[in-house]
Amino acid sequence: MTTDLTHWQPRPQPDQRVLQGRFVRIEALDVARHGEDLWCALQGPDPALWDYLPYGPFTERASFDAWLTGNAESRDPLFYAVIDQATGRALGLFSYLRIMALDGSIEIGHVAFGAPMQRTAGATEAIYLLARHAFDDLGYRRLEWKCDAANARSERAAERFGFTREGLFRQHMVRKGRNRDTAWFSIIDGEWPGCRTAFQLWLAAENFDERGQQRQRLEALRR
């Protein structure tokens, strides 16, 4: 952890360059290119997908497209589509948000991965690509992950990806008529090299058998 910041300079704002991985690529969200794919992917058989997001589910295409358009035009949150390399289809979206260039702090959030992408190597790689861009390309000091404390899936994901639980903001928000206590997680720059190595080892071809099943878990590689 860096304590002497006498010569610290604000970090660049993230751009929406294409981030290429083995399983997925990340590119700027575009309604014309990605709208149909995302409409199909996010209407899939996952009734819990929208439970802890402040919007959705969408039952009409027009309202969905209006939501996507707002996301595509936003700069904070800054939205990306996640494209499956094998099919070329957009299977999910997520964003950077709370972009604090002055302090070198940035968050990953608004994660909406369709059922075909959930619990896949591509889903893990997508998070890795955004984390790597924040730390290695932009030089940020802190990467955050926040979620409703009732969202067990999101909490498990944060811990699996290497985020450290920092605490709980009680009665932080009201969302969809419910109280939200917010769980805070982070990775800081001194922790990132170990997390990066674990991601790279996990994503390597030799970590998957002929059926595509992992040989070693991400958490084990980080230890």
Side-chain angles (χ1 to χ4, degrees):
M1 179 173 61
T2 302
T3 55
D4 181 3
L5 298 176
T6 305
H7 303 293
W8 168 259
Q9 295 294 323
R11 298 297 91 188
Q13 291 287 331
D15 53 33
Q16 288 174 302
R17 71 184 71 177
V18 175
L19 304 175
Q20 292 280 0
R22 186 161 71 94
F23 301 101
V24 298
R25 72 176 182 273
I26 310 303
E27 59 188 41
L29 176 63
D30 182 277
V31 180
R33 292 204 313 273
H34 306 133
E36 179 65 23
D37 286 348
L38 290 172
W39 171 253
C40 294
L42 300 180
Q43 297 299 312
D46 179 12
L49 176 65
W50 304 100
D51 282 359
Y52 298 105
L53 293 170
Y55 35 72
F58 298 93
T59 58
E60 298 178 354
R61 180 66 187 270
S63 60
F64 179 80
D65 284 349
W67 171 71
L68 274 189
T69 298
N71 290 344
E73 293 173 350
S74 172
R75 300 290 73 134
D76 187 353
L78 185 66
F79 276 87
Y80 299 81
V82 184
I83 313 301
D84 179 63
Q85 293 280 43
T87 65
R89 295 178 55 209
L91 297 182
L93 73 162
F94 56 179
S95 77
Y96 287 130
L97 69 156
R98 303 186 190 279
I99 302 165
M100 307 295 290
L102 182 64
D103 301 313
S105 178
I106 196 167
E107 181 178 345
I108 293 176
H110 294 282
V111 179
F113 291 170
M117 188 179 170
Q118 294 172 15
R119 301 180 65 84
T120 66
T124 296
E125 186 176 56
I127 300 298
Y128 164 66
L129 290 172
L130 272 199
R132 187 185 68 183
H133 183 49
F135 283 117
D136 294 348
D137 299 332
L138 301 177
Y140 276 66
R141 307 168 58 233
R142 172 180 171 86
L143 180 66
E144 297 180 340
W145 180 286
K146 303 187 185 82
C147 63
D148 191 316
N151 188 350
R153 289 200 305 189
S154 186
E155 290 199 339
R156 285 196 302 269
E159 291 169 346
R160 176 176 175 270
F161 295 142
F163 288 83
T164 296
R165 182 187 296 268
E166 293 185 326
L168 184 72
F169 275 32
R170 299 178 299 164
Q171 297 188 184
H172 184 210
M173 299 178 184
V174 176
R175 289 291 182 265
K176 295 182 176 177
R178 302 191 304 261
N179 172 65
R180 168 172 155 162
D181 297 337
T182 299
W184 285 54
F185 299 83
S186 73
I187 299 171
I188 59 175
D189 52 0
E191 299 163 344
W192 171 241
C195 290
R196 177 180 57 212
T197 297
F199 273 119
Q200 291 170 344
L201 291 171
W202 190 86
L203 290 164
E206 53 267 28
N207 190 45
F208 295 89
D209 64 22
E210 62 279 359
R211 297 170 298 166
Q213 299 299 308
Q214 65 178 354
R215 299 182 189 277
Q216 294 192 76
R217 299 169 66 238
L218 181 57
E219 302 94 313
L221 291 167
R222 195 165 53 251
R223 288 195 288 270

